[in-house]
Amino acid sequence: MGENSLEKSSLQAEASRVGSGIELVDCDVHGGINSIQDLMPYLPDVWQLYVRESGFKGIPPSWYPKVKPNAARSDSYPPSGRLPGTDLAFLQAHHLDFWKIDCAIVNPLFAADYLPNIDFGAALCSAYNDYMIENWYEKDERLYGSILVPFREPELAVQEIERVGGHPKVVQIILLVCAGALYGQRRFLPIWKAAEKKGLVVGIHWGGVEPTRAAGGIPTYYLEHHTNLAQAGMAQMVSFLCEGVFESCPDLRVAIIECGMAWLPALMWRLDKDWRGCRMEVPWMKRRPSESIREHFRFTTQPIEEPDNPAHLVQVIEHMGADHLLLFATDYPHWDFDSPARALPRQIPEPLRQRIFCQNALEFYALS
Amino acid sequence: MKRQVMCQLEEIPDGTMKAVELESRAIVLIRKGKEVFALRDTCPHQGARLSNGVLTSRRLSSVAGDYRAEKAKQIVRCPWHNWEFDAASGRCLHDPQRLRVAVYRTEIENGQVVIVTS
């Protein structure tokens, strides 16, 4: 048996452990286009011409070279030659079948909604959504989808939610966490009302358009950028709470994706304390922020924090004060992928493990 | 019943507070019109004297951007961390079910503020 066969056999043994009695929902899988050419049939004529005439190739790459090409696992390149996460058949076999994943939330990361030309960006969002629905979400019953919206122009964002948000496989609108704006601010409220009305989760995912700014400034290295965008996740959550979004949208649900979760207890403690002393400024915040967080927010596990003593992670989850807050995610096909077999420490009790792997996502996304 | 005179009513101008002592316990008297409320003068958070704080109105709101002051009721805001207490009930506004400062029964008799204890 060669080295590769040994490795595959070992991984398959781990995958079979995952399937024993626990259903698995992966709340962050990346699927999307290989190039702008995939979107051309879905763009109106005038924007097809624009792409051809302008030489538009897609969203410019990040300022930060990743530690791997395309930020992808080295083993996630399909034989078809397409980019990782853009070949559905390969993703089905390599990820969904292999790990026995029952449901996956697909998050296309294409920052069309950040293009300076808002009309072109809106057309790309619509084309991307139509492409994903037709070629991904409708092609595999395990897949549920997120849609892109041109958030900087809330009226257009609402139109897009109205247009495709009612599709039975669409469960979320997806936004990048570092947006140059804090999403709780009042101008964005029509978007959240539209999402609430359609029953869609608002997913806020790690990443953003450069320069992405963590607290304090623009980082130098990818390592800083990768770590510090957790701060942006905190800031977006605090913005939703302090701006009173949930007073206007009492049924809105928000998922903070790939921004970490071990910081949550400390942030809840700090925000609760500060809220007690600053209530005169935000009198619409009638509940303790931590209570609102537990009702309205969920957090994906990947990239899971890895303390030297894994039992400490269990303590952190206990400090969150609820067992329904975490959603398991792999982030396939990215390099910082979390294995369903190994990522969660063994010390996590079985009922909580089952909630994180499955039940929390089924409830939060109302998956059937 | 024990009745103890704390001060003359005129020593507490309307809308102000006065720190007094009752059997070695710090008490804050709060005047609103013809009424005087008496609370334990110690914030349950970190022990500041509430009488050094601010007597003001609770803020009401139904939605972001809606600011109103509830003038009918008075609240005491702690001088240190801004914890707020209803002057009449002693209940803490951010957690009224679990947090309160002790309230004492008061009466006005012949222009004097009297605290009545059992």
Side-chain angles (χ1 to χ4, degrees):
Chain A
M1 191 180 272
E3 197 174 307
N4 287 344
S5 302
L6 266 175
E7 187 185 357
K8 190 175 179 190
S9 168
S10 164
L11 280 172
Q12 281 173 335
E14 293 192 353
S16 68
R17 282 201 326 240
V18 173
S20 56
I22 295 178
E23 293 185 19
L24 187 56
V25 182
D26 185 346
C27 291
D28 189 24
V29 172
H30 295 296
I33 59 169
N34 187 59
S35 77
I36 194 68
Q37 294 308 314
D38 287 343
L39 292 189
M40 291 297 261
Y42 300 88
L43 279 171
D45 291 348
V46 67
W47 292 118
Q48 290 185 34
L49 282 173
Y50 182 81
V51 168
R52 288 195 196 98
E53 291 166 358
S54 67
F56 178 79
K57 301 287 184 204
I59 308 301
S62 166
W63 283 15
Y64 298 94
K66 313 296 192 218
V67 288
K68 289 182 189 295
N70 305 300
R73 280 170 43 175
S74 304
D75 60 353
S76 65
Y77 287 79
S80 62
R82 289 173 68 92
L83 291 169
T86 70
D87 181 326
L88 176 60
F90 183 77
L91 184 141
Q92 286 167 321
H94 191 230
H95 186 57
L96 302 179
D97 298 345
F98 185 86
W99 293 108
K100 301 179 173 60
I101 289 167
D102 297 302
C103 299
I105 312 290
V106 180
N107 291 320
L109 297 182
F110 186 76
D113 44 336
Y114 297 83
L115 286 174
N117 183 333
I118 191 72
D119 296 307
F120 182 43
L124 286 170
C125 286
S126 296
Y128 212 112
N129 293 334
D130 290 342
Y131 172 86
M132 292 301 294
I133 288 170
E134 184 178 329
N135 297 287
W136 286 70
Y137 309 155
E138 291 183 345
K139 287 282 163 60
D140 189 315
E141 63 179 12
R142 293 168 292 187
L143 299 182
Y144 291 84
S146 302
I147 55 171
L148 304 168
V149 296
F151 80 94
R152 285 182 297 113
E153 202 64 56
E155 194 178 331
L156 296 179
V158 170
Q159 282 175 21
E160 186 61 8
I161 291 170
E162 293 292 330
R163 191 181 74 84
V164 289
H167 189 283
K169 297 302 289 292
V170 170
V171 295
Q172 180 165 261
I173 67 173
I174 192 77
L175 299 159
L176 294 175
V177 72
C178 211
L182 289 170
Y183 291 128
Q185 289 172 355
R186 228 170 287 170
R187 64 187 183 277
F188 299 122
L189 190 57
I191 306 176
W192 318 137
K193 284 187 171 175
E196 181 191 41
K197 189 174 155 197
K198 288 283 183 192
L200 301 177
V201 169
V202 174
I204 300 178
H205 189 284
W206 184 95
V209 169
E210 310 302 347
T212 49
R213 286 183 175 83
I218 300 171
T220 308
Y221 301 108
Y222 176 63
L223 168 59
E224 296 173 85
H225 165 78
H226 191 271
T227 301
N228 290 352
L229 284 196
Q231 297 169 341
M234 299 177 209
Q236 294 293 4
M237 184 176 74
V238 171
S239 173
F240 268 85
L241 293 161
C242 294
E243 298 273 0
V245 172
F246 302 112
E247 275 66 35
S248 297
C249 304
D251 295 323
L252 187 67
R253 294 162 286 150
V254 182
I256 303 291
I257 303 169
E258 206 180 329
C259 291
M261 51 91 171
W263 46 262
L264 182 60
L267 187 133
M268 289 199 291
W269 296 331
R270 186 179 181 89
L271 185 56
D272 278 357
K273 176 172 177 168
D274 288 347
W275 166 76
R276 289 174 191 131
C278 301
R279 296 171 63 257
M280 61 180 154
E281 190 184 23
V282 286
W284 45 87
M285 286 180 77
K286 298 193 177 65
R287 303 170 68 194
R288 272 199 330 177
S290 58
E291 288 176 15
S292 296
I293 288 170
R294 291 188 191 99
E295 178 176 340
H296 295 282
F297 286 89
R298 299 293 182 270
F299 307 84
T300 57
T301 52
Q302 180 279 339
I304 198 161
E305 285 89 349
E306 297 178 352
D308 290 344
N309 180 349
H312 291 166
L313 197 63
V314 182
Q315 291 173 2
V316 166
I317 297 171
E318 286 173 5
H319 292 323
M320 294 175 188
D323 60 6
H324 61 259
L325 296 178
L326 301 181
L327 311 172
F328 182 76
T330 65
D331 194 31
Y332 181 91
H334 290 149
W335 70 273
D336 46 354
F337 164 90
D338 270 346
S339 155
R342 293 284 187 96
L344 295 190
R346 287 193 306 275
Q347 290 86 344
I348 292 180
E350 194 55 33
L352 176 58
R353 202 177 184 76
Q354 194 273 342
R355 277 210 147 270
I356 296 171
F357 270 138
C358 171
Q359 194 60 33
N360 291 343
L362 294 181
E363 291 169 3
F364 194 60
Y365 286 101
L367 303 179
S368 54
Chain B
M1 298 294 261
K2 202 168 173 182
R3 309 173 71 82
Q4 296 176 79
V5 175
M6 293 290 103
C7 64
Q8 298 293 316
L9 179 62
E10 64 188 25
E11 292 176 51
I12 319 173
D14 191 13
T16 67
M17 300 186 279
K18 180 178 175 63
V20 295
E21 209 169 85
L22 175 68
E23 296 170 351
S24 302
R25 278 173 294 180
I27 306 286
V28 55
L29 300 176
I30 300 159
R31 176 154 179 200
K32 179 172 173 53
K34 292 177 181 174
E35 282 186 295
V36 173
F37 306 111
L39 304 178
R40 186 72 182 268
D41 194 10
T42 305
C43 180
H45 180 215
Q46 293 192 18
R49 289 277 175 260
L50 294 176
S51 54
N52 290 329
V54 177
L55 195 57
T56 181
S57 299
R58 184 169 72 157
R59 303 302 197 274
L60 300 177
S61 175
S62 57
V63 71
D66 171 30
Y67 289 96
R68 281 171 284 132
E70 185 187 36
K71 296 210 169 146
K73 280 189 177 179
Q74 282 189 305
I75 62 167
V76 183
R77 188 175 292 141
C78 177
W80 289 356
H81 306 103
N82 279 353
W83 284 30
E84 295 169 331
F85 299 90
D86 183 276
S89 68
R91 293 193 182 278
C92 182
L93 297 195
H94 72 249
D95 195 355
Q97 299 309 314
R98 290 194 307 174
L99 279 171
R100 63 183 296 182
V101 290
V103 179
Y104 298 86
R105 182 178 150 195
T106 59
E107 289 180 3
I108 310 297
E109 283 181 358
N110 303 321
Q112 294 178 315
V113 180
V114 174
I115 287 186
V116 182
T117 55
S118 52

